[in-house]
Amino acid sequence: MSDAVLDIADLTIGLPPGADRASAVQGMNLVLRAGEVTCLVGESGSGKSLAARAVLGLLPPRVGVAAGSIMFEGQDLTKATPAQLAKIRGARIGMIFQEPMTALNPLHSIGRQIEEVLSIHTPLDRKARRDKVVALLADVHLPEPARIARSFPHQLSGGQRQRAMIAMALALDPKLLIADEPTTALDVTTQAQILHLIHDLQRSHGTAVLFITHDFGVVADIADQVAVLQRGVLVEAGPRDAVLDNPQHPYTQALLAAVPRLVVPQRAPQQPGIVMLESIKARKEYRQRALLGRGRTTVALDGVSVALRRGETLGLVGESGSGKSTLARAMTRLLSIDSGDIVLDGDEITRTPQRLMRPHRQKIQMIFQDPYASLNPRQKVVDVIAEGPIIHGLPRAEAEARARELLGLVGLDPSAADRFPHEFSGGQRQRIGIARALALRPQVLVADEPVSALDVSVQAQVLALLADIKARLHLSLLFVTHDLRVALQICDRIAVMRQGAIVELADTADIYHAPQHPYTKALFAAVPGAAWLQKEAAHAAP
Amino acid sequence: MRAAMQRFARNRMAVLGALVIGGVVVLTVTAPLLYPAGAFTLAGPPLQPPGARFLLGTDALGRDVAAGVVQGARTSLLIGLSAALSAVLFGSLIGALAGYYRGAVDIVLMRLTEFFQTIPAFLLAMLLVVIMSPSVLSVIIAISAVSWPGIARLVRGEFVALGGREFVLASIGLGASGPRIIFRHLLPNCVSSIIAIGSLLVASAILLESGLAFLGLGDPNVMSWGLLISAGRVTLRSAWWVCTFPGIAILLTVLSINLIGDGLNEALNPRLRER
C-alpha cells in the first residue's frame, strides 16, 4: 500500500506579472500512494486547483511550472510533450471536475462521450465499447445504465451527471484520479452518496486519488492523507486523524476552528414576539410551455405558510430546488406569487403594485448570495450603500454620511467608501451588501445564502457580524441556507423545506436533538464530516 | 478606464487607425487656412493632372480636387459622427425599454426594430432623403434611421442578460424606480459594448453618406467625397485623379475607424481576447 504513484517535488508554479503574488504554488512537496485518498485543502486563491492542473499539464495560458518535478510512472510530467501528456490523460490519470454540466458536452449523449475515451485509448471495437460503457455506468450505481447511456447531460440530475463523469474518469482504470471539488456543486445528500462512491471505487481499484476541497467535513469523510495549502505554500501535511485532531500549523488550527460545528450554541430563551413577516399558503408555479400539447408544470411553492416573529432568526433550510430562495424572494416581493398572501408588519403586500411598495421596502431588506453579482460594478461603495436612503428621499449629503457610518458598523475601513466593488474580496463585498441592506434601517432582514460563496474562515466572520448586528439593531432575520451546520449556529427556529413545502418547523435545539421528519434525519446524516463534528462537539462540551 | 487605454495603446493597428483619423481631423480644422477660397471656386484650367500647382489635380470644372478632399473630410466626419451618435442614443433607448420592461413593450419594440432591419438600409436611406429633400440634416436623420436597430438589439440583449443579476434585484428591493434602474444600473454596465459598436457605426455612416452624395442625394451646397466621386465619374478614363483621391480618402477613413472600433472593443471587453 505504500508505493508512490505520484511524486510532486519542489513544485513552483509561476504567475504572470501583475498577479497578487509571484507564484501560485511555492516549493510544494507531496507524495500520493496507491489506494490512498489525499485531500488538498485550501481556501480560494490558495493555488490548490492550479497544482492539480499542473499535474495534468492543463495550466492556463501565461501560467507555467517554474521549478520542480512531477514524477508519474517514471516520467516527469513537467517535461512531457503535449502528445505524451495526451496519452497519459484519460488513460493513466482520470479527472473529475466541479461542475459536471460544463465538463460534459451538451450535444453528445453520455454514452457517446464515455465511448470517445475508449476509442481514443483502446483498440476495442464498437460493440465491445458499447458493452463496456453500460458496465461502467452500472459500476457507478446509475439506474438503467443502458437508458442513461442514451441520455443527454441536461436530462440527468447533477448527481447523475457527476456519476457519469466518474464512470468516464475510471473507464480505463487509471492509476491516479484527480478530483477538483467534485461535490461542491451538489446537494448535501447527493454529495454524501458521491463521496461514498468515490471512496468505494478507489478502494476496489487501488487508485490513488488527489481530492481537492475547501471543506473539512469532506476531508473527515474521505481522506487518508491531508495536505493544507496556504497562499501557495504547503503548511501542513500528514495522516487525516493527526491533522484534524492535532493540527500543528496555526493556519490549519484557524481553518479548523472556523468550521461550523454540528452543535446548538447556548442561547438565552426568548419571548416570542409579534409576527413581523408572514407567508400564508403561498403558491408559485412555473409552467414550461411546450411546442405541442401541454407543458410541464413545476411547483416551486406548494402552499407554504410560515411566520417570522419580531427579534428571532428563522432558518429556511433545504436542498437546491426545494423552493427556499423562491420563498425568500416572494416574501420580499421580488417575485410575485400565484395565490396566497404575504403580510409584512400587519400590511398585506401580496398584490401591491411596485410603485406603491416603496414605503414597505423600507421595512424589509435583502442580502444576496453572490458577493460578485450583487454589487453594481460601476458604482462606488458609498453610492451603493447610500442609494436606498436617497431613493427614499434623504438628502444626498445625509445619505452619504449614513453610508460612511455603516461601513464602520460592518467592520470596513471608512476609506472603502470611495473605491469600487472589484477592489474588495468576497467577504468584504458581502459586508458592503449588508451595509446596503441596513442603510434603510429595516426591521426585517432576509438573507439568501449570504455565506455560501465565502471561504470558511470568512464565513465565520460574516455570520458573527450578522448575529451581532441583528442583536444590536433588534432585527428579525429570515436566513436561507443549504447548510445545516450554519443554520444551527445562527437560527432560533429552523424550517426544513423540500419540493416547495415545509416538512418540519421547530426550535433549533429540538430539531437537532430529535428530528421528526425522515428527510430532516437524512439531511443531518448527510452533513459532511458528521461523525467527526460530533466527536469534536463532545470534546468541546464541558 | 486607464487599464483599458493601456490595452488600446498596445494594439498597434488600432493606434495606427487613431493616427490616421487624427490626421484627418487636423486637415478639417486647418482647411480654411490651407484652401481659403473653398472647394467650389474655379481655381484653374479643367482636368489638370496632379502636379506642383494643383497637388491632386483639378476636375472637369477646374475646381481643385485637393480642396474638395479636405473640405469633404469635414462633411464626412460631421455626418458620420452625428448620425452614429443619434443612432446610438435612439437605439440604446429602444433597446433599454424593450430589455427592461420585457413583455408587450418588448414585443412591440422588437417587431419595430425588425421592420427596420429587414428593409435594405441604403434604399430606405435614399427614400428618406428624397422625402425630406437633400440637406445635411436630412442625410443625418436618414442615416441614423437605418443604423439604430443594431444598437437596439445589442442593448436589449445586454439588459436581458443583466436583468437577473442580484444587484438589479437589490435595487428593486431598495424601492428603485424603473428609470433609475435603467440609467443608473443597467446602462452604465453596457457602455463599453455600446462604445465599441457605436464607433463602427461611424464608419458605416460615412460610407452611407458617400453613397448618397454619389447618387446626388447629398446636400448640393456642401462639398463631400461622394459628390467629388460623382463629379469625376464621367471623366474617369481621361482624368483618373478626380475619383481616385476622394476614394482613397474614404477607404483610409473607414478602415481606420474600423481599426479603432476593433481596438476599443478589445480594450473595453478584455474577455474577448482570451477566447
Side-chain angles (χ1 to χ4, degrees):
Chain A
M1 283 294 266
S2 68
D3 48 327
V5 172
L6 188 78
D7 190 347
I8 301 176
D10 225 8
L11 179 71
T12 297
I13 300 173
L15 284 173
D20 65 332
R21 56 181 194 258
S23 43
V25 174
Q26 179 73 49
M28 180 166 122
N29 289 297
L30 192 63
V31 176
L32 269 63
R33 293 192 177 80
E36 282 191 349
V37 177
T38 304
C39 276
L40 191 56
V41 195
E43 298 193 288
S44 53
S46 61
K48 56 190 192 300
S49 284
L50 282 180
R53 289 175 70 168
V55 174
L56 296 162
L58 292 176
L59 288 173
R62 297 189 293 157
V63 174
V65 174
S69 64
I70 302 172
M71 297 302 291
F72 176 74
E73 298 189 326
Q75 192 179 10
D76 186 353
L77 296 182
T78 62
K79 298 192 174 61
T81 63
Q84 287 170 327
L85 279 171
K87 277 224 173 75
I88 294 171
R89 281 198 295 260
R92 311 300 303 147
I93 303 181
M95 35 196 162
I96 318 171
F97 301 98
Q98 175 173 350
E99 187 29 83
M101 192 65 212
T102 50
L104 289 165
N105 184 337
L107 294 179
H108 291 180
S109 69
I110 298 289
R112 185 167 159 195
Q113 298 187 51
I114 301 178
E115 235 189 284
E116 194 182 357
V117 179
L118 298 172
S119 69
I120 293 171
H121 294 287
T122 66
L124 294 176
D125 64 19
R126 204 180 162 80
K127 171 87 175 55
R129 289 203 302 264
R130 290 265 161 95
D131 294 343
K132 173 102 185 181
V133 165
V134 174
L136 283 166
L137 291 172
D139 268 358
V140 292
H141 307 302
L142 278 167
E144 299 179 65
R147 184 181 61 82
I148 297 275
R150 285 194 306 275
S151 311
F152 288 87
H154 69 268
Q155 295 168 318
L156 305 183
S157 71
Q160 287 176 325
R161 282 198 287 267
Q162 200 58 287
R163 281 171 196 269
M165 279 298 296
I166 293 171
M168 196 189 296
L170 295 178
L172 297 165
D173 220 347
K175 293 273 283 186
L176 173 65
L177 179 67
I178 294 181
D180 189 354
E181 304 251 12
T183 57
T184 305
L186 304 176
D187 284 325
V188 271
T189 47
T190 321
Q191 163 167 307
Q193 293 163 9
I194 296 285
L195 288 178
H196 266 292
L197 177 69
I198 293 179
H199 196 257
D200 291 350
L201 290 175
Q202 167 265 337
R203 285 290 133 98
S204 58
H205 292 241
T207 321
V209 178
L210 179 61
F211 194 103
I212 292 161
T213 181
H214 65 278
D215 188 338
F216 270 103
V218 171
V219 174
D221 278 349
I222 196 171
D224 296 301
Q225 302 285 326
V226 184
V228 183
L229 208 55
Q230 179 194 18
R231 290 181 58 79
V233 180
L234 198 66
V235 294
E236 183 156 1
R240 173 188 63 183
D241 292 341
V243 173
L244 289 188
D245 298 338
N246 193 13
Q248 297 302 312
H249 194 275
Y251 179 70
T252 319
Q253 290 165 356
L255 273 186
L256 282 167
V259 175
R261 295 295 186 261
L262 203 56
V263 287
V264 182
Q266 288 295 320
R267 282 199 199 85
Q270 276 187 334
Q271 292 300 320
I274 57 159
V275 171
M276 281 303 296
L277 179 65
E278 190 173 13
S279 133
I280 303 164
K281 292 187 179 158
R283 187 174 173 84
K284 174 87 184 166
E285 284 179 6
Y286 287 103
R287 270 185 206 89
Q288 231 175 17
R289 232 178 277 166
L291 198 61
L292 292 169
R294 293 183 51 184
R296 263 193 333 175
T297 305
T298 316
V299 181
L301 294 179
D302 193 3
V304 178
S305 297
V306 66
L308 175 69
R309 301 198 202 110
R310 186 191 290 277
E312 77 165 345
T313 302
L314 173 65
L316 284 181
V317 179
E319 298 188 297
S320 56
S322 63
K324 57 190 193 303
S325 282
T326 309
L327 181 60
R329 288 183 181 187
M331 287 174 86
T332 44
R333 274 301 315 276
L334 290 175
L335 196 80
S336 60
I337 51 175
D338 301 335
S339 66
D341 284 308
I342 306 292
V343 181
L344 171 63
D345 197 15
D347 297 317
E348 199 246 75
I349 56 167
T350 326
R351 269 159 278 276
T352 312
Q354 286 295 349
R355 67 199 148 76
L356 298 181
M357 271 301 291
R358 203 174 275 178
H360 301 291
R361 294 270 183 221
Q362 199 153 5
K363 294 182 195 157
I364 181 164
Q365 280 299 306
M366 189 147 178
I367 300 165
F368 294 88
Q369 171 175 13
D370 184 346
Y372 292 88
S374 62
L375 302 177
N376 183 349
R378 305 263 168 177
Q379 262 188 324
K380 279 186 193 164
V381 168
V382 62
D383 295 325
V384 169
I385 303 174
E387 180 165 19
I390 290 173
I391 290 171
H392 287 267
L394 203 68
R396 173 167 283 275
E398 268 176 64
E400 289 188 0
R402 190 190 284 185
R404 284 169 206 275
E405 208 175 290
L406 280 167
L407 281 176
L409 183 70
V410 297
L412 286 173
D413 197 74
S415 69
D418 298 304
R419 287 152 67 193
F420 284 93
H422 69 86
E423 298 172 56
F424 296 91
S425 69
Q428 289 170 323
R429 285 160 176 247
Q430 207 54 301
R431 286 169 192 267
I432 297 170
I434 294 172
R436 167 176 60 193
L438 294 177
L440 283 177
R441 301 191 172 145
Q443 294 160 287
V444 179
L445 270 186
V446 176
D448 187 2
E449 302 259 16
V451 296
S452 63
L454 304 177
D455 280 328
V456 58
S457 57
V458 183
Q459 197 173 6
Q461 293 163 10
V462 171
L463 282 177
L465 173 71
L466 264 180
D468 175 50
I469 284 174
K470 195 213 116 194
R472 259 206 275 175
L473 304 180
H474 308 292
L475 301 175
S476 318
L477 179 61
L478 183 66
F479 191 93
V480 179
T481 182
H482 69 280
D483 192 337
L484 263 177
R485 296 175 292 183
V486 170
L488 291 182
Q489 293 305 303
I490 193 165
C491 300
D492 302 310
R493 289 192 302 153
I494 291 178
V496 178
M497 287 193 72
R498 185 190 196 189
Q499 291 168 0
I502 291 178
V503 297
E504 186 163 1
L505 170 59
D507 284 351
T508 303
D510 296 341
I511 217 166
Y512 173 63
H513 292 296
Q516 297 300 312
H517 196 276
Y519 181 67
T520 315
K521 290 178 188 163
L523 274 185
F524 271 108
V527 167
W532 169 66
L533 286 166
Q534 252 139 13
K535 195 176 71 180
E536 280 286 296
H539 272 296
Chain B
M1 220 49 193
R2 191 180 298 153
M5 289 315 291
Q6 281 169 359
R7 278 197 295 272
F8 184 82
R10 274 204 298 268
N11 185 336
R12 268 190 225 139
M13 294 310 282
V15 171
L16 185 72
L19 286 177
V20 172
I21 292 300
V24 174
V25 170
V26 168
L27 272 186
T28 49
V29 172
T30 55
L33 300 173
L34 291 173
Y35 299 97
F40 286 103
T41 21
L42 306 182
L47 299 179
Q48 291 289 303
R53 191 170 157 217
F54 297 105
L55 197 59
L56 304 180
T58 60
D59 69 1
L61 296 174
R63 297 179 297 196
D64 190 343
V65 174
V69 169
V70 171
Q71 292 274 326
R74 187 165 62 183
T75 318
S76 290
L77 286 190
L78 171 77
I79 291 181
L81 284 175
S82 23
L85 190 67
S86 40
V88 162
L89 290 180
F90 186 68
S92 301
L93 187 67
I94 297 291
L97 292 175
Y100 179 73
Y101 288 105
R102 308 295 301 274
V105 180
D106 187 19
I107 291 171
V108 170
L109 291 178
M110 279 303 112
R111 291 306 87 80
L112 182 74
T113 312
E114 279 159 17
F115 174 76
F116 272 87
Q117 273 192 314
T118 46
I119 301 178
F122 194 69
L123 289 182
L124 180 59
M126 274 171 62
L127 187 71
L128 289 172
V129 172
V130 169
I131 291 171
M132 291 184 287
S133 79
S135 72
V136 171
L137 186 64
S138 67
V139 170
I140 291 176
I141 292 175
I143 293 177
S144 37
V146 300
S147 308
W148 65 269
I151 295 281
R153 296 197 77 99
L154 170 86
V155 172
R156 176 187 174 272
E158 296 262 321
F159 267 47
V160 170
L162 289 169
R165 293 278 285 275
E166 287 181 343
F167 71 83
V168 178
L169 281 179
S171 302
I172 297 174
L174 290 173
S177 60
R180 184 182 187 91
I181 291 171
I182 292 178
F183 292 108
R184 281 288 173 88
H185 293 287
L186 292 169
L187 270 181
N189 279 292
C190 324
V191 161
S192 52
S193 324
I194 294 177
I195 289 178
I197 303 299
S199 64
L200 297 177
L201 269 193
V202 177
S204 73
I206 289 178
L207 277 179
L208 273 172
E209 186 275 331
S210 305
L212 288 172
F214 177 80
L215 293 177
L217 293 171
D219 192 325
N221 303 314
V222 176
M223 181 51 73
S224 87
W225 291 337
L227 192 64
L228 272 177
I229 296 178
S230 168
R233 165 175 56 100
V234 283
T235 55
L236 182 62
R237 298 219 294 187
S238 53
W240 56 268
W241 54 89
V242 184
C243 284
T244 307
F245 290 112
I248 291 175
I250 294 175
L251 177 75
L252 278 182
T253 311
V254 170
L255 187 66
S256 306
I257 293 175
N258 275 319
L259 289 176
I260 295 175
D262 287 344
L264 281 176
N265 201 8
E266 279 187 15
L268 296 170
N269 303 314
R271 270 167 298 151
L272 290 176
R273 290 165 64 122
E274 275 148 37
R275 267 185 212 160

